[in-house]
């Protein structure tokens, strides 16, 4: 296989591993795996898996905010990811929710 095919397989494998970690409630290993991936190994799907796994557990001001900003910078922002980010804001105990929601 070509280098591009190998990269594609790596991305798919990483995404499946992330899903598995979250299904097993192993959020810390999911975070470690995500951090170990370089930008070219992260896709919009990768970000969605991460935010879906953390949305009801983590406050907006923490990991999810960082994931959202990273997705924007990596040009991996999708409508679904923006919706999940908004959901995170709603779940958070946060002043100024409306301002944050408008920024998303």
């Amino acid at each position: 296989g070509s280098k591009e095919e190998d990269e594609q397989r790596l991305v798919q494998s990483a995404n499946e591993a992330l899903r598995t970690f979250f299904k097993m409630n192993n959020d810390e290993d999911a975070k470690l795996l995500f951090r170990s991936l370089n930008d070219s190994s992260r896709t919009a799907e990768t970000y969605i898996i991460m935010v879906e796994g953390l949305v009801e557990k983590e406050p907006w001001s923490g990991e999810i905010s960082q994931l959202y900003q990273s997705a924007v910078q990596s040009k991996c922002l999708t409508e679904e990811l923006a919706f999940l980010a908004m959901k995170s804001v709603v779940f958070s105990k946060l002043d100024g929710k409306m301002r944050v929601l408008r920024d998303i």
Side-chain angles (χ1 to χ4, degrees), residues 58-66 68 85 88-89 92 94 100 104:
E58 299 265 341
W60 165 254
S61 58
E63 193 95 22
I64 294 177
S65 174
Q66 293 170 10
Y68 180 81
S88 169
V89 171
S92 295
L94 171 73
V100 176
I104 294 174

Side-chain angles (χ1 to χ4, degrees), residues 35-99:
R35 289 184 199 118
S36 75
L37 298 173
N38 61 31
D39 286 344
S40 66
S41 298
R42 296 175 181 174
T43 63
E45 182 183 8
T46 310
Y47 285 99
I48 288 168
I49 293 165
M50 287 299 295
V51 174
E52 280 179 332
L54 299 172
V55 73
E56 294 182 26
K57 303 171 191 172
E58 299 265 341
W60 165 254
S61 58
E63 193 95 22
I64 294 177
S65 174
Q66 293 170 10
L67 286 165
Y68 180 81
Q69 294 303 325
S70 179
V72 169
Q73 292 166 0
S74 302
K75 296 184 178 32
C76 289
L77 183 60
T78 63
E79 192 174 294
E80 183 177 2
L81 185 59
F83 175 75
L84 289 166
M86 289 178 191
K87 186 176 176 182
S88 169
V89 171
V90 171
F91 275 107
S92 295
K93 292 181 173 94
L94 171 73
D95 291 331
K97 286 184 184 183
M98 289 308 294
R99 182 186 53 77

